[in-house]
Amino acid sequence: ETGVTQTPRHLVMGMTNKKSLKCEQHLGHNAMYWYKQSAKKPLELMFVYNFKEQTENNSVPSRFSPECPNSSHLFLHLHTLQPEDSALYLCASSQTGEKLFFGEGSRLTVL
Amino acid sequence: KNEVEQSPQNLTAQEGEFITINCSYSVGISALHWLQQHPGGGIVSLFMLSSGKKKHGRLIATINIQEKHSSLHITASHPRDSAVYICAATDKLIFGTGTRLQVFP
């Protein structure tokens, strides 16, 4: 138990669906992150939020839309995804500049 | 060429062996993370270090900022150490491709 909870753990969606991934941390951290892990590829940073403000958008397509309503919650809204977007999506949190704490990940399959 | 390179990509060992995983990076960083990912995806942060050496149980991490190189050592390896080990360079959080370690009894 890392203190970072992601839901759902598994998601299957069609290309026309709209769904959201949720991440929650109760560690008092001020930074939250979304990462993508595709098969046979390194982890890729997608978005960073510091104190609810987006500070990094790593050239992510607009079909991925993050939302950080408060410092404990982070969402990734998904719409009109492609099959190549199928991957493990990992959320992490930290105090800025300190160790990362990861969630278990949400495994997404786009049909 | 990746800005963060790890070697070896795959590593097998007998229980009890001393293991070293290497990470070289070409970007300027203030610190480096070592992460452990078990089958199923869960990731645990092992170390974050900016200089010298850190030790936690049987794990030791070292970094040489001038040489842009870090190593993760596992002493007295055990089958439960089997996982993918990933280094990540701050501040842009660029990840290496990982080293898959299997320790056999």
Side-chain angles (χ1 to χ4, degrees):
Chain A
E1 180 61 51
T2 63
V4 180
T5 305
Q6 287 187 242
T7 54
R9 294 290 309 278
H10 299 272
L11 178 63
V12 179
M13 59 188 288
M15 290 165 62
T16 58
N17 290 158
K18 285 186 183 180
K19 297 282 184 185
S20 296
L21 306 179
K22 180 182 174 184
C23 178
E24 194 172 344
Q25 59 94 3
H26 297 289
L27 300 168
H29 291 163
N30 61 304
M32 294 187 79
Y33 312 77
W34 278 118
Y35 296 93
K36 176 183 178 183
Q37 189 175 41
S38 304
K40 312 267 187 218
K41 283 186 171 181
L43 272 162
E44 298 170 62
L45 178 66
M46 298 176 75
F47 301 104
V48 182
Y49 278 81
N50 271 287
F51 295 103
K52 303 187 299 174
E53 298 296 320
Q54 191 181 118
T55 55
E56 187 85 30
N57 176 338
N58 207 20
S59 303
V60 181
S62 59
R63 56 186 184 268
F64 295 91
S65 172
E67 180 192 358
C68 188
N70 55 63
S71 55
S72 298
H73 293 86
L74 184 65
F75 294 89
L76 188 63
H77 303 299
L78 317 168
H79 60 100
T80 59
L81 295 193
Q82 305 297 311
E84 60 264 30
D85 296 321
S86 298
L88 180 69
Y89 290 85
L90 288 151
C91 172
S93 72
S94 74
Q95 282 298 110
T96 305
E98 295 186 12
K99 214 167 152 180
L100 294 163
F101 289 76
F102 284 84
E104 293 289 318
S106 294
R107 189 161 294 282
L108 173 68
T109 303
V110 182
L111 301 175
Chain B
K1 183 172 159 59
N2 235 22
E3 290 171 290
V4 179
E5 295 276 350
Q6 284 185 240
S7 63
Q9 287 191 341
N10 294 284
L11 186 54
T12 57
Q14 287 296 124
E15 184 172 355
E17 283 185 13
F18 180 84
I19 285 159
T20 296
I21 299 170
N22 295 299
C23 177
S24 297
Y25 52 91
S26 56
V27 292
I29 65 168
S30 56
L32 184 130
H33 295 267
W34 278 103
L35 311 171
Q36 179 193 54
Q37 185 172 28
H38 280 283
I43 294 180
V44 174
S45 181
L46 299 174
F47 296 104
M48 179 176 164
L49 66 167
S50 54
S51 66
K53 180 165 95 171
K54 283 192 177 179
K55 186 175 190 292
H56 182 71
R58 293 180 295 107
L59 301 177
I60 303 166
T62 63
I63 190 167
N64 185 320
I65 293 285
Q66 286 75 29
E67 293 186 6
K68 296 189 174 180
H69 181 268
S70 176
S71 294
L72 177 69
H73 306 284
I74 305 175
T75 60
S77 59
H78 190 275
R80 65 174 173 267
D81 297 326
S82 299
V84 176
Y85 292 84
I86 303 167
C87 66
T90 59
D91 308 313
K92 286 285 187 182
L93 288 171
I94 301 169
F95 292 83
T97 50
T99 294
R100 185 174 300 278
L101 171 66
Q102 286 184 290
V103 181
F104 295 99

